[in-house]
């Protein structure tokens, strides 16, 4: 190492004559090294293969490094999110029961007694989960007043799935702050930690701030996504028929609007769904049945207010100004169906 | 997801066009047909994008060519080989098969207006048409109607 260091130094002095003449070099002893020695190549090659054989470095938590400051990181997390967490609440929200169990066993082995002065986040998780579920559904019902309850539940499940919450948690940087037995923390642990943080926010700042947090971090995950991707409608034609009957329109009639290449493998059909001689929706596909089903879905989009060109969901100032009625519940799709369809 | 899948299917669907070549100049029809073959009429066109359509040209033996071009026109397809020569103009007079006609979905607009021949007017229409003078009794009228093909 020392040799290579000298080499860099000597190169530097060669190029910078002003420094060389300034008298700065008087105290530095420089040995000039020219070229590379013959043994360099074999040595570095051996190092290289030794590294390859050893395999990649195991992933270590950030806290394994000596300059880790847990308190500072916890404080920084609150500051990043611009939320006034109490330090104890945030620490508690990120402490899992598995970590406490592990610590207890460790202390027992070291004969330090089994008392650990830590509280786990079970309560906060429960609190946060209930609060998130309640608010997400209320927000969705407010934004999609015509969407059936089944759709609301599907979107809400999608938004609150462990994978989604874990992704959000990872992105706000709680992975290294979580105290749990396993590393890296599992999806379930990450998701629970985020829920616990929301529960902590409700406890510290009240539900109003927590609602904004849920809106900003969880509901925004819907941006650019299609509701029909989160909610699969079974038998769309039957549902459409029931909706039409409920609204007292005439019978549904499917008509072929366009077809091309009927005799080829790339055949394309466009089918329109009509009722009372009015076009309800149109869909395309490689066969007539697929095109008809897509047309029914297209018509349902209009009825349920989930068209692809509608205005975006309210977030930021618009979102924070919303007045949401938490007691409101949308109509269920079962209300539309006739008794024979329910069986 | 299903919606985006069929949307993609419809976007990249190969359409089938029909072009009626009756009384159309082949040199002026070509750009109209090429545009559809290359897919340049589509908003998704890109040189590396395979989005060309199919065009079925019907009645190609009724094309209209200027002057004596029917007889003299040669395609420059000379390969440079010893026995190679430029082919003559050749049109297909066979009918288009039904399985191809079933694929059709649209028509390309003709580049020229088809004129109405004197033989397509009825006798009443001809009689009603204002005449500047009467023909002499011994005048022999020129034949009006489609010419017979040369043997």
């Amino acid at each position: 190492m020392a040799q290579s260091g000298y080499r860099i130094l000597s190169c530097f002095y060669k190029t910078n004559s002003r420094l060389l003449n300034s008298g700065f070099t008087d105290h530095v002893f420089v040995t000039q090294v020219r070229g590379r020695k013959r043994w360099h190549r074999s040595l570095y090659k051996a190092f290289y293969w030794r590294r390859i054989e050893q395999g990649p470095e195991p992933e270590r938590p950030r806290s394994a490094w000596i300059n880790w400051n847990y308190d500072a990181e916890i404080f920084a997390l609150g500051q990043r999110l611009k939320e006034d967490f109490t330090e104890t609440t945030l620490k508690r929200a990120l402490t899992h029961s598995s970590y406490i169990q592990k610590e207890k066993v460790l202390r027992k082995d070291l004969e330090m007694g089994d008392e650990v002065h830590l509280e786990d986040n079970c309560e906060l998780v429960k609190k946060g989960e209930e609060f998130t579920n309640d608010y997400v559904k209320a927000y969705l019902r407010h934004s999609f007043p015509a969407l059936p309850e089944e759709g609301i539940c599907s979107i809400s499940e999608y938004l609150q799935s462990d994978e989604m919450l874990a992704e959000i948690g990872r992105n706000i940087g709680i992975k290294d702050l979580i105290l749990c037995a396993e590393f890296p923390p599992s999806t379930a642990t990450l998701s629970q930690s985020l829920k616990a943080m929301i529960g902590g926010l409700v406890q510290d700042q009240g539900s109003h701030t927590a609602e904004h947090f849920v809106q900003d971090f969880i509901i925004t995950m819907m941006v650019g996504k299609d509701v029909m991707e989160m909610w699969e409608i079974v038998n769309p034609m039957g549902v459409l028929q029931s909706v039409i009957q409920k609204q007292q329109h005439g019978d549904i009639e499917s008509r072929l609007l366009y077809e091309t290449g009927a005799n080829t493998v790339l055949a394309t059909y466009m089918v329109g769904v009509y009722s009372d001689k009015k076009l309800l929706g149109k869909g395309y596909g490689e066969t007539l049945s697929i095109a008809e089903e897509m047309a029914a879905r297209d018509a349902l989009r209009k009825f349920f207010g989930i068209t692809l060109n509608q205005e975006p969901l309210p977030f930021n100032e618009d979102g924070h100004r919303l007045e949401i009625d938490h007691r409101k519940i949308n109509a269920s799709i079962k209300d539309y169906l006739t008794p024979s369809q329910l069986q | 997801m299903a919606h985006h899948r069929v949307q993609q299917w419809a976007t990249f669907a190969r359409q089938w066009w029909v072009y009626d070549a009756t009384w159309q100049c082949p040199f002026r029809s070509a750009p109209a047909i090429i545009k559809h073959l290359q897919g340049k009429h589509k908003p998704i066109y890109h040189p590396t994008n395979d989005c060309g359509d199919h065009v079925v040209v019907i009645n190609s033996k009724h094309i209209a060519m200027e002057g004596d071009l029917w007889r003299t026109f040669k395609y420059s397809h000379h390969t440079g080989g010893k026995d190679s020569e430029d082919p003559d103009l050749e049109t297909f007079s066979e009918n288009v098969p039904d399985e191809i006609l079933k694929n059709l979905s649209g028509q390309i607009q003709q580049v020229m207006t088809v004129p109405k021949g004197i033989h397509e007017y009825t006798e009443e229409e001809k009689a009603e048409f204002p005449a500047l003078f009467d023909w002499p009794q011994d005048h022999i009228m020129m034949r009006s109607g489609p010419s017979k093909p040369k043997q």
Side-chain angles (χ1 to χ4, degrees), chain A residues 64-191:
Chain A
W65 273 265
I66 196 155
N67 60 355
W68 174 250
N69 186 343
Y70 183 63
D71 290 342
E73 293 292 340
I74 287 285
F75 176 73
L77 175 67
Q79 294 299 308
R80 276 205 301 278
L81 300 175
K82 295 192 177 143
E83 300 290 358
D84 285 334
F85 282 105
T86 323
E87 198 187 326
T88 46
T89 320
L90 194 50
K91 277 185 176 174
R92 195 182 154 197
L94 296 171
T95 310
H96 281 257
S97 51
S98 64
Y99 178 78
I100 295 173
Q101 292 298 326
K102 193 181 130 193
E103 280 293 295
K104 273 183 185 169
V105 172
L106 201 68
R107 278 170 191 242
K108 215 171 189 180
D109 289 349
L110 295 171
E111 293 172 1
M112 288 167 72
D114 57 354
E115 260 187 56
V116 184
H117 300 289
L118 280 172
E119 276 180 295
D120 64 13
N121 59 5
C122 283
E123 263 177 55
L124 290 178
V125 171
K126 209 176 162 191
K127 202 173 190 177
E129 197 172 342
E130 274 171 21
F131 179 82
T132 313
N133 191 32
D134 186 51
Y135 181 69
V136 166
K137 279 186 179 164
Y139 180 93
L140 292 173
R141 283 177 193 132
H142 186 268
S143 309
F144 302 105
L147 189 67
E149 200 55 30
E150 283 81 356
I152 299 283
C153 289
S154 296
I155 305 173
S156 151
E157 263 171 44
Y158 169 78
L159 288 177
Q160 293 177 71
S161 64
D162 274 358
E163 290 75 28
M164 178 62 80
L165 293 182
E167 187 61 31
I168 297 167
R170 254 181 239 118
N171 288 342
I172 61 174
I174 58 171
K175 195 190 94 179
D176 290 315
L177 295 170
I178 293 174
L179 300 180
C180 62
E182 83 263 17
F183 186 83
S186 65
T187 355
T189 314
L190 278 161
S191 139

Side-chain angles (χ1 to χ4, degrees), chain A residues 229 258-261 263 267 284, chain B residues 4 6 9 13 15 99 103 105:
Chain A
E229 282 175 28
Y258 185 84
E259 66 172 332
T260 189
N263 263 343
Y284 6 80
Chain B
H4 297 298
V6 290
W9 185 268
Q15 297 176 53
E99 64 256 32
N103 292 333
S105 59

Side-chain angles (χ1 to χ4, degrees), chain A residues 324-337:
Chain A
I324 297 175
D325 181 10
H326 285 254
R327 286 162 300 172
K328 196 191 129 197
I329 285 183
N330 285 9
S332 168
I333 208 160
K334 281 174 190 154
D335 300 341
Y336 293 115
L337 297 180

Side-chain angles (χ1 to χ4, degrees), chain A residues 238-256:
Chain A
V239 176
L240 181 64
Q241 207 124 29
S242 325
V243 172
I244 290 290
Q245 273 176 14
K246 193 96 177 172
Q247 298 191 350
Q248 298 183 339
H249 287 292
D251 280 346
I252 294 175
E253 197 182 347
S254 304
R255 281 172 173 248
L256 184 62

Side-chain angles (χ1 to χ4, degrees), chain B residues 32-44:
Chain B
I33 295 173
I34 288 170
K35 189 176 83 178
H36 286 77
L37 289 175
Q38 292 183 325
K40 283 196 176 180
H41 60 300
K42 298 183 181 183
I44 56 165

Side-chain angles (χ1 to χ4, degrees), chain A residues 49 72 200 289:
Chain A
W49 286 113
S289 53

